[in-house]
Amino acid sequence: MPWFVLSAVLVAALSMRGPIIAVTPVLPEITADLGLTGASAGMLTTAPVLMFAALTPLAALLIRRAGAETALLLSLCGVLAGTALRAIPGYAPMLAGMFVIGASITIGNVVIPVVIRRDVPPDRVATATAAYTATLNVGSLLTALGTVPLAELLGWSFALLAWGMITVLGVVLWSAHILRRRRALRDLPAGDASRRAGAVSIDPQTLTGPVPVIVERRMTGTMRRPIVWLLLASFSAQSAVYYAMSTWLPTILLDTTSVDAASAGALASIFQGAAIIGALMAPALMRVVGPVPSAVMMGGCFAVMVCGLLMNPSLAAVWASFGAVAHAAGFVLIFTALVRQARSDSEAATMSAVVQGGGYLFAATAAPALGALHESSGGWEIPLLVLLAVAVFYGVALTTAMVKAFGRS
């Protein structure tokens, strides 16, 4: 196991979700200080998701041209630049910073699995990928828990800036890895030109899974398959609930319970932290009860989360745990079905691109829409009822997709 490479990748992964989630615990303060509407505030977490949906082809092109090492370094430097930009006073630079962060993370989303599959021994790839996925949630958990305490000491602007130190560490470690790799390449025999160049060939299969991928040119046959649309519907609904709740859960708790900002951020962090458990339990759940019952359970978990927040928000920690498990385990179900149903590597790539690209595009509307509903209705009941409808749709779509993919098991 190349431990230095894996360590550098995991530190980089801390910056692949945390900078987005960091905004949410202090969103009420940002909204008040900048005089934002609910929809405008929601755009701060929506902007990166839009970048996920829109910039995948450019990210793949950059990786082809620059190589995996340089691409990941550019990703981290971009996250750092966006973090600095959003610390400038005013809504415009803050929104621009979030767009830069999202564009930069898009590159990291695509390239990190490439690095893992290339540099990690085949029998350890699953372990390394699981560690990477868990670290994404650790980054979200850290920023959800720590932003409010930092904001109380430094103010919310400097608190968001402070998280850039993790990204700085990632830049340092990854730069050291690049230097080590270049020294190793210089020591190779002169005839080994491909390794000396450090060339990376991006195979479509490498890019399937929890990242957007390159699509094949002929999509017509793939797009006619019902399973593609079922998985797209499932992923769209799942992502919409996740990003809406990631954005507004701290604010919902502040408005509907007696907790302070720090406690609201801590409670909301459960929505990120418990996702680690959900991802790890999904394969075992599928083996024990089957994919279809698992899908029904995940749809039920999302519905329990929203109903709980409507009826008894003081138990938010319990409801957030249900939602986190539904999000993470549902993600595993969706992509397990996708891999099972793909008839070739290139079709798997196309299906993954369609499902994720369309899903993230739909999810980008969720936070602004929920904020606008809250503002127009004067409370959280109507927004949560709409979210409940999306959760029910998610359960139906996911269950139908599992029946189509696995039969009625």
Side-chain angles (χ1 to χ4, degrees):
M1 177 78 80
W3 293 109
F4 189 88
V5 175
L6 185 59
S7 298
V9 164
L10 295 183
V11 173
L14 292 173
S15 296
M16 295 294 126
R17 291 296 180 272
I20 302 172
I21 302 301
V23 172
T24 62
V26 291
L27 199 56
E29 288 83 356
I30 295 172
T31 301
D33 289 351
L34 300 182
L36 305 181
T37 64
S40 297
M43 273 301 299
L44 293 175
T45 52
T46 297
V49 186
L50 285 172
M51 295 295 96
F52 292 171
L55 296 185
T56 297
L58 293 179
L61 178 62
L62 174 64
I63 296 166
R64 281 202 185 101
R65 295 288 178 85
E69 278 77 16
T70 302
L72 183 51
L73 184 61
L74 289 173
S75 171
L76 291 168
C77 290
V79 171
L80 194 59
T83 301
L85 180 58
R86 74 177 177 186
I88 298 173
Y91 179 67
M94 188 170 194
L95 183 60
M98 294 302 290
F99 273 113
V100 172
I101 287 171
S104 303
I105 289 176
T106 302
I107 301 169
N109 282 347
V110 176
V111 76
I112 286 180
V114 175
V115 174
I116 290 174
R117 286 172 172 83
R118 186 195 64 187
D119 291 345
V120 174
D123 61 333
R124 300 293 181 89
V125 165
T127 302
T129 303
Y132 161 62
T133 305
T135 307
L136 293 176
N137 289 301
V138 170
S140 299
L141 179 63
L142 288 174
T143 54
L145 279 173
T147 300
V148 170
L150 283 173
E152 291 175 348
L153 291 173
L154 307 171
W156 61 261
S157 182
F158 284 104
L160 296 177
L161 185 62
W163 291 116
M165 295 306 297
I166 294 177
T167 310
V168 169
L169 179 59
V171 170
V172 170
L173 281 176
W174 196 247
S175 297
H177 164 66
I178 290 175
L179 292 175
R180 291 172 73 250
R181 183 174 176 82
R182 286 180 178 173
R183 283 197 296 269
L185 290 172
R186 282 198 299 268
D187 294 337
L188 288 174
D192 200 347
S194 63
R195 290 182 65 193
R196 180 176 295 279
V200 177
S201 175
I202 302 179
D203 178 72
Q205 187 179 16
T206 301
L207 295 178
T208 59
V211 292
V213 297
I214 309 164
V215 300
E216 59 179 322
R217 291 183 179 179
R218 296 183 178 178
M219 298 175 58
T220 306
T222 300
M223 295 305 295
R224 288 175 179 167
R225 301 187 64 192
I227 187 64
V228 175
W229 295 99
L230 288 169
L231 293 175
L232 172 59
S234 303
F235 190 73
S236 297
Q238 179 228 39
S239 298
V241 175
Y242 172 75
Y243 283 104
M245 292 306 296
S246 292
T247 301
W248 292 112
L249 184 55
T251 306
I252 291 171
L253 297 178
L254 283 174
D255 290 346
T256 59
T257 68
S258 59
V259 301
D260 57 17
S263 299
L267 289 170
S269 70
I270 296 172
F271 189 59
Q272 309 300 331
I276 300 170
I277 300 172
L280 295 175
M281 69 177 281
L285 190 65
M286 292 177 69
R287 286 194 298 271
V288 173
V289 303
V292 175
S294 297
V296 174
M297 292 169 65
M298 293 311 104
C301 284
F302 254 161
V304 167
M305 175 188 68
V306 182
C307 290
L309 290 172
L310 276 167
M311 295 185 294
N312 191 354
S314 63
L315 295 178
V318 177
W319 314 135
S321 298
F322 276 94
V325 169
H327 159 68
F331 191 98
V332 175
L333 287 171
I334 289 168
F335 284 97
T336 300
L338 186 150
V339 171
R340 179 184 176 89
Q341 286 294 302
R343 296 170 295 195
S344 68
D345 290 347
S346 81
E347 184 171 71
T350 300
M351 289 173 65
S352 186
V354 169
V355 168
Q356 293 192 73
Y360 282 130
L361 186 62
F362 180 78
T365 66
L370 214 68
L373 280 172
H374 167 63
E375 194 169 70
S376 61
S377 66
W380 287 107
E381 289 81 7
I382 290 177
L384 286 174
L385 285 172
V386 171
L387 211 60
L388 177 60
V390 177
V392 171
F393 175 79
Y394 164 73
V396 172
L398 183 62
T399 302
T400 308
M402 293 303 106
V403 171
K404 187 73 174 176
F406 296 95
R408 298 182 180 275
S409 56

